Amino acid sequence: MVTEFLSLWVAVSFVVGAIFGSFICCQVRRVIISEKLHGFRKFQQEGSRCEKCKKPLSWWEMIPVFSWLFLRGKCRTCNSRIGAIELFAELGLGLAFAVTTWTFLDRWASVSGLEAWQVISLFVFLVLSIGLLAIFVFDFLTGEMPVRSLYFAIACAVIFGAVDWANMLSSNTFTLAAPLLTVASVAVLSGFYFVLSVAPARHSLARKKREHLVGDGDWLVALPLAIVLAHPLLAVATLFLANIIGALIAIPFMVTKRWKSTTRIPFAPLLIIAFFIIFFARDFVFKMFMVI
């Protein structure tokens, strides 16, 4: 019975996540186009259409994942390619919703009924995932940080941590170690990128330009991630994994000389991917640190 309950909610969560992934990706593109043409103040909600031929899309052309696969990633009218970021956003957020639901509910399966704080924790984490996807897509497409999405993600992370601490207080398990570990996590992950954001890059010294090792907003992206991870070991693991993923992506492009050593890589997507992996595999990460 428990397994069937989990399977049902996991399936529903994947569908809902894919829908939100499609919506967020569409909204980000609209904001980018509107900013280029009119600025944010004149942003207007319009129906979905092809960016090249401006043909309005039918409802069956906007079904998450399936429409992209059925149309083979091309516009039905002008045959122009639809970016793979749409498919990745739909699959990625759908998978994030499904794994989140499975992880959270599976831990509470032995408990008869869900408590209020558990439902709130699950809901807040799902909402945080939506905010992180907006940051992911915006940084990937423009190389810039959406300020409102950053503040939204930080607020969700603070609420998530506050709910966890409130549960500890109600169950008399709260200790000073909890906030200290969270502060250490922020210092490791967000603090590391803050230092890099003010440190000048080597090539910028030669050209006398104020360029930095990482973008100014990377430490803000790391802030909500560090708050949710709430442990310096997990922060270190996220930092390490994000750089490993970046290296695996960059090395083939640099070997084929498609990228230069000075090519800027959007790092927020790498941080967000690493965060989700480490968060869901945190028990394994702690075991690995114990072995080391």
Side-chain angles (χ1 to χ4, degrees):
M1 185 65 180
V2 173
T3 303
E4 294 178 358
F5 171 80
L6 284 176
S7 300
L8 174 62
W9 279 106
V10 167
V12 172
S13 297
F14 178 85
V15 174
V16 173
I19 293 173
F20 271 107
S22 177
F23 175 77
I24 290 299
C25 201
C26 183
Q27 291 299 104
V28 169
R29 286 194 179 276
R30 285 172 178 167
V31 169
I32 294 172
I33 294 174
S34 179
E35 181 186 12
K36 290 180 179 179
L37 297 178
H38 311 294
F40 282 112
R41 294 183 180 180
K42 293 186 177 181
F43 173 73
Q44 295 180 351
Q45 184 72 26
E46 299 178 352
S48 298
R49 61 184 65 209
C50 174
E51 293 183 9
K52 187 172 183 179
C53 67
K54 310 304 179 183
K55 176 81 173 185
L57 301 181
S58 303
W59 66 268
W60 61 268
E61 294 178 280
M62 296 184 289
I63 301 175
V65 182
F66 293 103
S67 293
W68 196 96
L69 295 175
F70 180 78
L71 295 171
R72 297 180 181 178
K74 297 180 180 180
C75 174
R76 177 173 59 94
T77 304
C78 66
N79 209 38
S80 61
R81 294 194 64 83
I82 303 172
I85 186 64
E86 278 78 8
L87 179 63
F88 184 87
E90 293 164 3
L91 285 174
L93 193 60
L95 183 61
F97 266 48
V99 176
T100 298
T101 302
W102 176 270
T103 302
F104 278 61
L105 294 183
D106 186 53
R107 289 188 173 187
W108 305 325
S110 58
V111 181
S112 57
L114 296 178
E115 297 181 9
W117 74 270
Q118 296 171 333
V119 176
I120 295 174
S121 293
L122 174 58
F123 177 77
V124 172
F125 192 89
L126 293 178
V127 175
L128 171 65
S129 301
I130 296 174
L132 292 179
L133 177 68
I135 297 171
F136 184 111
V137 176
F138 202 95
D139 188 39
F140 182 85
L141 294 178
T142 67
E144 300 176 357
M145 293 296 173
V147 177
R148 293 181 180 179
S149 296
L150 282 172
Y151 291 157
F152 178 79
I154 293 171
C156 289
V158 170
I159 295 173
F160 183 85
V163 171
D164 192 35
W165 288 3
N167 173 60
M168 292 181 184
L169 286 170
S170 63
S171 59
N172 295 322
T173 58
F174 183 85
T175 63
L176 186 59
L180 290 178
L181 289 174
T182 301
V183 171
S185 177
V186 171
V188 170
L189 191 56
S190 185
F192 175 80
Y193 287 106
F194 178 79
V195 171
L196 291 184
S197 68
V198 298
R202 189 183 308 173
H203 64 275
S204 70
L205 295 177
R207 299 178 184 180
K208 297 182 179 181
K209 293 182 180 179
R210 293 192 64 184
E211 296 183 8
H212 304 296
L213 296 174
V214 299
D216 295 335
D218 287 341
W219 73 273
L220 282 174
V221 178
L223 181 57
L225 310 184
I227 293 174
V228 173
L229 291 172
H231 200 287
L233 293 182
L234 298 180
V236 170
T238 301
L239 179 64
F240 177 76
L241 182 59
N243 283 277
I244 290 296
I245 295 173
L248 292 176
I249 294 175
I251 288 175
F253 286 95
M254 296 183 68
V255 170
T256 56
K257 296 183 179 181
R258 296 176 62 182
W259 286 359
K260 299 179 180 179
S261 59
T262 56
T263 300
R264 297 185 67 87
I265 304 174
F267 205 75
L270 305 180
L271 264 178
I272 293 170
I273 292 174
F275 161 74
F276 279 107
I277 294 175
I278 297 301
F279 180 81
F280 293 123
R282 56 190 181 278
D283 292 338
F284 175 76
V285 173
F286 282 129
K287 291 180 181 178
M288 289 297 297
F289 273 106
M290 290 295 293
V291 173
I292 296 175

